[in-house]
Amino acid sequence: SEVAMMMDVPVTKIISACMSLGMMVTMNQRLDAETLTIVADEFGYEVVFVTADIEESIVEVLDKPEDLVTRAPIVTVMGHVDHGKTSLLDYIRKENVIAGESGGITQHIGAYGVELENGQKISFLDTPGHEAFTAMRARGAQVTDIAIIVAAADDDIMPQTKEAIAHAQAAGVPIVFAINKIDKPTANPEKIKEGLAQMNLLVEDWGGKIQSHDISAKQGTGVKELLEKILLEAEILELKANPNKPAVGTVVEAYLDKGRGYVSTILVQAGTLRIGDYVLAGKNSGKIKAMQDERGREVLEAGPSTPVSILGLDGATQAGDKFSVFADEREAKQIATKRMQLQREQDVRTTKTLTLAEIGRRIALGTFKELNIILKGDVDGSVEALTDSFQKLSTEEIQVNILHKGVGAITESDVLLATASDAIIIGFNVRPVGNARVIADREEVDIRTYSIIYDAINDLKDAMEGMLSPEL
Ligand code: GDP
């Protein structure tokens, strides 16, 4: 289907071209280089392989089941501003570490690991908020296993609480709710749970399956139990990795240190990273000269789910860049250079983010199954009315998903979610604010704003019927 889209021919024609070569293929199957070349030739196209030779050399070895061992969960904390995300991360950092090492985490390296009394470990990403979470996802990195969503019990479920929920759900990451500030006299945790129930999120106390715990991040009440619930969730997920292979993982933070050079904090996701390894990370490469953990201690190796800050890369990597270890330093360097060139070319070329006009084309090609929408409006009534109408547009072939809806302007976070989830944004009597427009233009996210409900519905309907005229 990708090839069909690139050549602008129906996918059925590609399938029959393959059949004439004696290959029975499905729409989602990947074709090998030779087949691609022959098929494209049939339609008068010549194939140029730009990325294949690069990415093919980074084949990850498939793990045998017996090589897999349990790894610690990687957790992100999200929630509305001032509801206590930082306080919770700080409390865990200060208190909940291996006995005798209390207060040992002195450095902010972007992620930290803690070990509970029973010896089980949890790794936390130290950049709270769904913006960081989704920015990573937009770059293709999925590191978070579980999301803690903090909601203050002396407040309501707020717009960013809803956003955080939508972002976690769009990523398919399970949520554990931390209902915070229960030390406050005005705290009413039941109200939050009721609010969640109204959003179809039933927590355990309310007969549902979603875990939640009442805590005070300030005093530490319930934090231990919250962490135990995280471990329970992790058990269900059966998180495993093979520690005995060259390391792969994701960059979580990077900066230039005047004295030490480029410092990157990375999270090893599989394999074991060692000093002296040749690493390729995004468009940078280098040999690891030194590694430190979050306590500022030198470490010689780092296994799955371990965050470490490393020295030795030749530039500033970006959060969300994937890294992998190479046997050969030259090869890592070559790929980094090629990626840099490709990036430059791609900056000039167009990207393939979804636009309303693109929807019609993809539907006509039969490659489209789900239409993701982020809906923002000026009042609750119009948002609900539009949600209803949009959902009614779903057909057997195309499912309309409202990934996130809310009252208020179109924000950066909406655009990020759209980028990460291939969605379009529809605004009703609201406009993009802050950097939202700039980022949307850069990422080519389609933002459509309307002031008449009928127009919004008709445009979407037309797009789904494949007859939308291009945007002027
Ligand atoms: P963030 O914006 O979500 O990271 O929230 P912060 O962690 O910065 O907390 C915002 C404010 O709420 C700060 O003044 C905290 O001291 C306060 N706060 C956080 N957790 C609690 C809590 O459990 N109880 C009380 N009373 N205050 C809290």
Side-chain angles (χ1 to χ4, degrees), residues 264-278:
S264 304
T265 295
I266 56 173
L267 201 59
V268 178
Q269 288 171 283
T272 298
L273 187 67
R274 294 188 173 85
I275 291 201
D277 279 348
Y278 300 117

Side-chain angles (χ1 to χ4, degrees), residues 90-98 102-103 113-117 223-225 227 295:
D90 283 347
Y91 181 83
I92 298 169
R93 185 200 333 271
K94 285 198 197 94
E95 305 297 332
N96 226 310
V97 291
I98 321 170
S102 208
V114 294
E115 187 170 329
L116 309 191
E117 278 163 10
V223 174
K224 196 172 151 229
E225 290 79 5
L227 298 184
R295 292 169 178 83

